[in-house]
Amino acid sequence: MRLPYCVLLLSVLISAMHPLPARADDVTDQIDQALAAYQKHDLAVAVAALEAVANLLRQTQADALKAVLPAAPSGWTADPVDTSAVAAAMLGGVTTISRTYHNGDQQVEVQIVANSPMLQGMAALINSPLAAAASMKTVVIGGRPMSYAANDNSFMTMITGKSIVKVAGNKTTSDPTPRSFIAAVDFAMLEKLAH
């Protein structure tokens, strides 16, 4: 892909997005730096600046995804949200957020993986006969088909082909609890963020 096209594409993407938090200045500064470096034929600096822009945008997306996680139910506590934005050079790029909830010995983790090219392959695996052989069964929660794996008390579903949501309970967490957590994920907001 040609570098001017990348700079133009990133500029269009940024202008089409909703206003970003404080990172917006960092993003535009890096785009300007990439353009200036390109005009000086300093391709290494231009590429590094564009990679920084992509990482900043992934981090902003990870921060936005925090809002879709459920609040801690009564009697539960929640750890801080973990976010990770991995560059395209690794796994094709991926954004993940997760949060662990606790109530005595019970523990539930909610994880969202977004924007990885590997997600389509994972979706095919989830819906394949191999999933049934691995003791996964299809359940419907809130009108959404999901895979349930009894061996790790987890539910998993794909949203708009761009995100996977997984909720897993530990061995002391009874079956209805992870089900209630996945039902509390803000799927409408997740779908909106995916578009």
Side-chain angles (χ1 to χ4, degrees):
M1 187 180 299
R2 293 175 43 188
L3 195 56
Y5 178 74
C6 291
V7 173
L8 177 63
L9 180 62
L10 283 170
S11 298
V12 170
L13 287 173
I14 290 168
S15 65
M17 293 177 68
H18 297 291
L20 298 175
R23 286 194 187 104
D25 289 342
D26 293 339
V27 169
T28 55
D29 288 348
Q30 289 298 308
I31 290 173
D32 292 343
Q33 183 179 346
L35 187 56
Y38 175 73
Q39 289 168 344
K40 293 177 185 175
H41 304 287
D42 189 347
L43 299 182
V45 170
V47 168
L50 289 175
E51 287 175 350
V53 168
N55 285 334
L56 288 167
L57 291 173
R58 283 187 195 93
Q59 290 167 12
T60 299
Q61 183 185 40
D63 290 341
L65 286 171
K66 290 178 184 180
V68 307
L69 295 173
S74 178
W76 287 74
T77 59
D79 292 345
V81 178
D82 288 328
T83 62
S84 172
V86 178
M90 299 172 62
L91 304 174
V94 64
T95 303
T96 62
I97 64 164
S98 64
R99 189 175 206 181
T100 304
Y101 302 81
H102 307 272
N103 182 355
D105 291 337
Q106 296 184 86
Q107 180 176 304
V108 173
E109 181 184 23
V110 178
Q111 181 180 46
I112 299 172
V113 179
N115 297 329
S116 172
M118 298 173 63
L119 291 181
Q120 292 301 323
M122 291 175 70
L125 181 62
I126 290 169
N127 297 320
S128 75
L130 292 174
S135 301
M136 294 179 78
K137 63 180 183 177
T138 300
V139 297
V140 177
I141 300 173
R144 296 181 182 279
M146 304 185 184
S147 294
Y148 173 71
N151 63 336
D152 68 350
N153 197 14
S154 69
F155 294 88
M156 190 177 341
T157 188
M158 178 164 268
I159 306 300
T160 68
K162 297 180 181 178
S163 303
I164 287 184
V165 178
K166 181 179 180 183
V167 174
N170 65 0
K171 293 181 180 181
T172 60
T173 305
S174 61
D175 177 17
T177 302
R179 183 182 297 262
S180 68
F181 272 89
I182 202 158
V185 170
D186 191 340
F187 287 107
M189 181 178 286
L190 184 55
E191 288 169 346
K192 184 177 178 184
L193 289 171
H195 291 298

